[in-house]
Amino acid sequence: MPIIYDENNKIFHLIAGNSSYIMKNFKNKYLVHLYWGKKLNHSGFSEAFMTSPFGANPDPDDKTYTFDRMLLEYPAYGNSDYRHPAYQIEQEDGSRITNLIFKDYKIYKGKPKLQGLPATYVEDENEAETLEIELIDDLINLRVILLYTAFRDYNVITRSAKFINDGDQKLKILIALSTCVDFDHCKFDLLHLWGSWARERYIERTPLMHGIKTIESSRGESSHQHNPFIALLSKDANEKHGDVYGFSLVYSGNFSANIEVDQFNTTRVTMGINPFEFTWILEKGDTFQTPEVVMVYSAEGLGEMSRTYHRLYRKRLCRGEYRDKRRPILVNTWEAVYFNINEDKLLALAQKAKELGIELFVLDDGWFGKRDDDTSSLGDWYVDRRKLPNGLDGLGKKLNEMGLKFGLWFEPEMISPNSELYKKHPDWCIQVRRRTLSQCRNQYVLDITREEVRKEILRMMKEIIRNAPIEYIKWDMNRPLTEVGSLALTPEKQKEVFHRYVLALYEMMEELTSEFPHILFEGCSGGGGRFDPGILYYMPQIWTSDNTDAIERLKIQWGTSIVYPASTMGAHVSAVPNHQVGRITPLKTRGYVAMSGVFGYEMDLTKLTKEEEEIIKDQIEFYKKIWHIVFEGDLYRLISPFQENAASWMFVTPDKKEAFVVYVNILAFPNPPFLKLKLDGLDPNKIYKIEGTDREFYGDELMNIGINIPPMKDFESFAFILRSKE
Ligand code: DGJ
C-alpha cells in the first residue's frame, strides 16, 4: 500500500517507489511536514516542530509553538509564519487572513484527472494511490483539497490544490501555488534551467543563500528564459551520487518557483502559477484547480532523477498513437527554403528526400494567406494559390504518391495586423483599451480566452486538415504576451487573462488532438520557448531550439535532458555553414547529435554532394537500428559540454542488452593526453560487443576502465552500438 494513515500518531506516510513522504496531522488541525527522502519502514515520529518561547503564536491554549518554526504543508501568511505562503485569499472585507484546519481525508487507488489541465496519469489503478486532504476555513467557508499521488514504481509524488468557495461571499485568490515543501536544513545547491532564444535550458547550479530566490516566467509562456523546473541537490550530489529533489510544473504559462532559506536555516520550496499579474475571482460555489507539480526524489544523483522523469513523462504524461511508435524521419522546409515556397521547388526537395530514405515532408511557415515574409497573414489559414496552385490537397496527393507523409505548420494563437482576420476583428487580440500594442515579429497575440476566437481558428484549421492528407502538425507560437488584457472580460477579471489564456490553449489542443488522433503533433515556440510538461501532454514532441548547430545543440539537448526524455526533443540535421552561428561541422556529427532526439533534416537536400547523399542514406539506416534504444532506453550523461571540451552520453535499453554511445569533440587539443571514456548503466557481468568490430568487453571493464578516445579534430565525433552476447 503506497499510502498509509496511522490513526494513533496521526501520520500520513506516502511511499513512492523507493522514497517516503511523511506528514503529520498536528493537533488534528494543522498539516505539518515531517520527511521526504529514502524509503522508511517506520513512521511514528512526531517531533513536528521546535518549541519557541518567543515567536508569534496562534493558539491561546498552547503557547509552545509558532508556525514560523514549523515545517508546513500548505502554509498561509498572517498567522505566525513569516515565510512566503502557498496561497492567499482576499475577502470582501479586505482581509487576507485565512486559517485552514484539517477536516477529513480520503485514500484511493489510481489518480484523478485535473479539470481542464494536463497531468500525469495511470493506465491501471494499481499504478498509484491518491490522498485527498480536505482543509476548511469555517469562518468564510473556504474548502481546499490537497491532492497527493504516490506512484508505485517511480520515486514520484505529484501534488496540486483545489479551492472551493462554499460560502456566500465572493473570494479573490491572490496566490494559489501547487506545492510547498519545507526542508529542515539548507545544505543544498539549487539547479535550474535558464536561457534565451537559440540557447535554451542552460544549466545553472548555485549554493542556496538566506533570503528568497525566484525562478519565474511572466511572459505568458513557460519561456526560453526559465524552464518550469528546479532541483535541490545535496552539496556532494553529481550525476551518479547524492540526494536530489526535483520539482517540475505541468504548466505552459507564467510560473514561479520560490526557494526561501529562513532565519532557522530551513528551506521552503513553493511552485505554481506566478502570483504576479494573477488573481482569480471565486464566486459562491466556484472551484479553482491549480496545475500539478511532479516531485522526484533521487538518492543516486541527478542522472537517476532525470531517468525517473524520462520514464514517467514518456509513458504517463505523453499520450496518443505516437507515444510508443517510431516517429517518421522528416525533412522540414524552414531552413531549406524559408518563405520561398513554390510547388516545383517543394516537389524537388521531396523527391530527393524520398530517395534518401526520409518518410515525412513538413511544409513550414509561408504556405497561407499572402505570407511572403513575416509581416503578414497570421490568422488567414487558407492556402496561397500563387505558390501552391493545386492546393494543399494537390501537393499532399503528390507527396503521398511519392511515398511520403505530409506535415504542415500552423501558428494558431497569432494574428498579423496585416491580415484579413485583423481587418474583420481588430478586437480579437490580447489588448488593453487605448494603449498602443507592442508588436513582436510583426504580430499580435489572439485573445483565445474568447470562445468565438477559439472556434474560428479551430474551424479554419479543421477545414485544412480535413481537405488534405495531413499526418503531422507543427504548432508554433512566436512571441511572448504584452499589454495583457481581454476586451471580453470585466475589469475585475483582467488579472485572470494569463491563466485563462493557458486554459484556452489546452482546450484547443485537447479538441484538435482528440479529433485527429492519427496526426503526429509537434509543439514549438520560436524553438524551445514552451518546452514544458503541459505541452507534452498534448504533443509527444517539441522543437527543442531554433539553433540547429550541432555544437550549440550539445548544451541545449544536455540541459533539456535534465527533465525531458530524448523522445520529446525535435532535433534536425541542418546545412553548413550553420544558419544561426556560421559554424562548419561534419555531417556525421550533425547526425549523431540529431539522432539523440527525434530525428529529422532541415536543409536543401537538392544541393547535397553525392558523398553527402551517401552519408545521409547511411545515417537513416543507422537511425532505424538505434531509435528504440534512444526512445525506450535510459540516458546516462557521461561528459558534460558545460564542463569539458567534449560531450558524451549513452542510452541503454531496460534489459541492458543494447546501448548507443555518442562522443563529440569540441575543439581539437594538439598532442592530447591519454583520454578514456568510461561508460555507465551497463550490466557489469555481461560481455558487450561493439557492433561492426570484433572488440568485446565486460560491462564492468567498460564502466571502470573505459575505452580509449583517439585524437580528434574540431567537432569530430564517434558513436557505436553495444550489444550483449546473451
Ligand atoms: C519558429 C520556429 O521555431 C521555426 O522552426 C520556424 O517554424 C519558424 N518559426 C517559422 O516562422
Side-chain angles (χ1 to χ4, degrees), residues 336-607:
V337 296
Y338 294 102
F339 291 106
N340 303 320
I341 289 170
N342 67 60
E343 195 182 271
D344 289 346
K345 204 187 254 187
L346 297 184
L347 289 174
L349 180 60
Q351 185 56 46
K352 185 53 75 184
K354 178 64 196 168
E355 281 167 30
L356 298 174
I358 287 169
E359 298 156 325
L360 163 66
F361 183 90
V362 177
L363 177 53
D364 208 279
D365 199 351
W367 58 267
F368 54 93
K370 296 193 180 63
R371 187 139 163 112
D372 296 329
D373 53 33
D374 64 14
T375 60
S376 84
S377 303
L378 294 169
D380 297 344
W381 299 110
Y382 47 83
V383 69
D384 183 350
R385 297 244 168 210
R386 295 172 308 161
K387 296 177 185 169
L388 300 171
N390 300 306
L392 291 170
D393 48 334
L395 176 66
K397 213 167 141 222
K398 287 184 191 153
L399 292 171
N400 288 172
E401 279 163 10
M402 282 182 193
L404 288 168
K405 293 177 192 292
F406 180 27
L408 198 61
W409 178 97
F410 285 96
E411 196 176 356
E413 298 153 71
M414 296 294 151
I415 181 166
S416 304
N418 181 10
S419 66
E420 297 301 320
L421 190 70
Y422 188 73
K423 264 183 228 145
K424 260 196 261 164
H425 299 290
D427 56 325
W428 273 17
C429 51
I430 293 280
Q431 61 188 283
V432 170
R433 267 183 226 286
R434 298 184 292 125
R435 294 280 172 198
T436 307
L437 300 189
S438 304
Q439 289 187 18
C440 181
R441 209 194 185 204
N442 307 301
Q443 63 201 55
Y444 296 143
V445 182
L446 275 170
D447 183 359
I448 57 170
T449 70
R450 296 169 73 148
E451 199 187 348
E452 68 271 36
V453 176
R454 292 198 295 277
K455 272 201 170 141
E456 177 57 9
I457 296 299
L458 287 176
R459 186 197 64 73
M460 285 191 268
M461 290 179 77
K462 286 180 192 178
E463 200 168 306
I464 296 273
I465 299 168
R466 288 201 189 103
N467 291 313
I470 290 166
E471 296 182 69
Y472 162 106
I473 286 176
K474 179 171 170 188
W475 180 306
D476 204 349
M477 192 269 194
N478 281 305
R479 60 156 293 177
L481 277 53
T482 51
E483 292 85 26
V484 173
S486 170
L487 298 187
L489 290 174
T490 57
E492 73 169 356
K493 289 189 180 251
Q494 290 299 321
K495 277 189 161 184
E496 296 185 4
V497 174
F498 272 117
H499 182 55
R500 282 177 181 269
Y501 184 91
V502 179
L503 294 177
L505 173 71
Y506 291 153
E507 192 186 304
M508 289 172 82
M509 287 185 166
E510 179 68 37
E511 184 172 328
L512 211 65
T513 52
S514 44
E515 203 165 319
F516 300 99
H518 69 285
I519 291 184
L520 169 60
F521 284 85
E522 176 155 352
C524 178
S525 175
R530 211 163 50 183
F531 203 120
D532 61 61
I535 299 297
L536 288 177
Y537 181 72
Y538 303 97
M539 311 191 166
Q541 60 193 60
I542 299 175
W543 181 227
T544 314
S545 177
D546 275 348
N547 195 334
T548 57
D549 174 69
I551 300 304
E552 295 295 314
R553 278 286 183 129
L554 295 176
K555 282 186 177 163
I556 295 168
Q557 293 179 196
W558 184 282
T560 306
S561 82
I562 294 292
V563 190
Y564 306 99
S567 61
T568 64
M569 289 186 217
H572 300 169
V573 174
S574 62
V576 290
N578 175 267
H579 293 195
Q580 291 76 41
V581 293
R583 190 174 283 134
I584 296 176
T585 51
L587 185 48
K588 233 169 85 179
T589 300
R590 283 175 269 155
Y592 291 142
V593 174
M595 63 181 75
S596 300
V598 186
F599 189 45
Y601 290 82
E602 187 161 336
M603 63 202 297
D604 190 347
L605 301 170
T606 63
K607 301 218 170 95

Side-chain angles (χ1 to χ4, degrees), residues 105-386:
Y105 76 95
K106 243 188 336 199
I107 296 173
Y108 52 89
K109 284 184 170 194
K111 182 173 193 294
K113 285 191 165 183
L114 300 186
Q115 178 74 35
L117 285 166
T120 55
Y121 59 89
V122 292
E123 287 192 335
D124 171 335
E125 61 168 28
N126 293 312
E127 290 176 15
E129 272 192 13
T130 296
L131 164 68
E132 285 188 14
I133 294 184
E134 189 180 21
L135 308 170
I136 302 263
D137 181 327
D138 53 14
L139 189 69
I140 56 172
N141 284 323
L142 168 71
R143 200 148 45 98
V144 175
I145 312 284
L146 301 183
L147 211 63
Y148 298 78
T149 296
F151 280 81
R152 183 193 56 198
D153 300 330
Y154 307 100
N155 288 9
V156 173
I157 307 266
T158 61
R159 284 189 61 177
S160 68
K162 185 154 108 185
F163 292 76
I164 304 150
N165 183 359
D166 288 329
D168 292 324
Q169 61 170 308
K170 187 194 283 184
L171 300 176
K172 193 195 259 184
I173 303 179
L174 304 178
I175 303 174
L177 298 173
S178 303
T179 194
C180 170
V181 181
D182 283 347
F183 296 84
D184 61 7
H185 67 94
C186 64
K187 289 185 211 119
F188 289 119
D189 285 342
L190 167 68
L191 184 143
H192 88 284
L193 306 171
W194 73 284
S196 185
W197 175 79
R199 49 180 168 81
E200 296 90 342
R201 288 169 296 284
Y202 277 23
I203 296 174
E204 191 159 73
R205 178 173 176 168
T206 48
L208 285 190
M209 297 205 276
H210 289 95
I212 302 182
K213 166 93 178 167
T214 301
I215 307 294
E216 64 169 18
S217 165
S218 50
R219 293 167 185 264
E221 56 176 344
S222 48
S223 87
H224 296 84
Q225 287 70 17
H226 297 285
N227 200 254
F229 165 80
I230 62 126
L232 294 186
L233 284 72
S234 59
K235 292 285 180 186
D236 61 345
N238 57 24
E239 275 294 309
K240 292 166 123 182
H241 306 287
D243 285 331
V244 181
Y245 298 87
F247 299 78
S248 164
L249 185 68
V250 187
Y251 192 62
S252 308
N254 290 354
F255 73 92
S256 160
N258 293 286
I259 305 91
E260 177 171 3
V261 178
D262 79 345
Q263 57 183 329
F264 304 117
N265 290 347
T266 67
T267 304
R268 168 168 293 177
V269 176
T270 57
M271 193 180 216
I273 294 173
N274 194 343
F276 174 65
E277 282 289 300
F278 167 85
T279 58
W280 197 269
I281 305 293
L282 215 53
E283 305 277 358
K284 180 175 161 51
D286 278 359
T287 63
F288 181 84
Q289 172 66 56
T290 74
E292 171 169 295
V293 171
V294 179
M295 308 193 319
V296 169
Y297 167 70
S298 162
E300 290 148 61
L302 205 53
E304 189 54 26
M305 181 209 72
S306 297
R307 288 186 287 279
T308 304
Y309 277 118
H310 296 175
R311 291 177 200 131
L312 184 79
Y313 283 180
R314 252 184 339 230
K315 297 291 183 197
R316 294 294 178 265
L317 174 68
C318 293
R319 303 176 299 165
E321 284 180 15
Y322 276 98
R323 187 187 75 178
D324 305 326
K325 269 210 284 204
R326 179 167 76 73
R327 320 279 161 73
I329 299 164
L330 65 78
V331 60
N332 178 297
T333 58
W334 184 241
E335 284 196 23
V337 296
Y338 294 102
F339 291 106
N340 303 320
I341 289 170
N342 67 60
E343 195 182 271
D344 289 346
K345 204 187 254 187
L346 297 184
L347 289 174
L349 180 60
Q351 185 56 46
K352 185 53 75 184
K354 178 64 196 168
E355 281 167 30
L356 298 174
I358 287 169
E359 298 156 325
L360 163 66
F361 183 90
V362 177
L363 177 53
D364 208 279
D365 199 351
W367 58 267
F368 54 93
K370 296 193 180 63
R371 187 139 163 112
D372 296 329
D373 53 33
D374 64 14
T375 60
S376 84
S377 303
L378 294 169
D380 297 344
W381 299 110
Y382 47 83
V383 69
D384 183 350
R385 297 244 168 210
R386 295 172 308 161

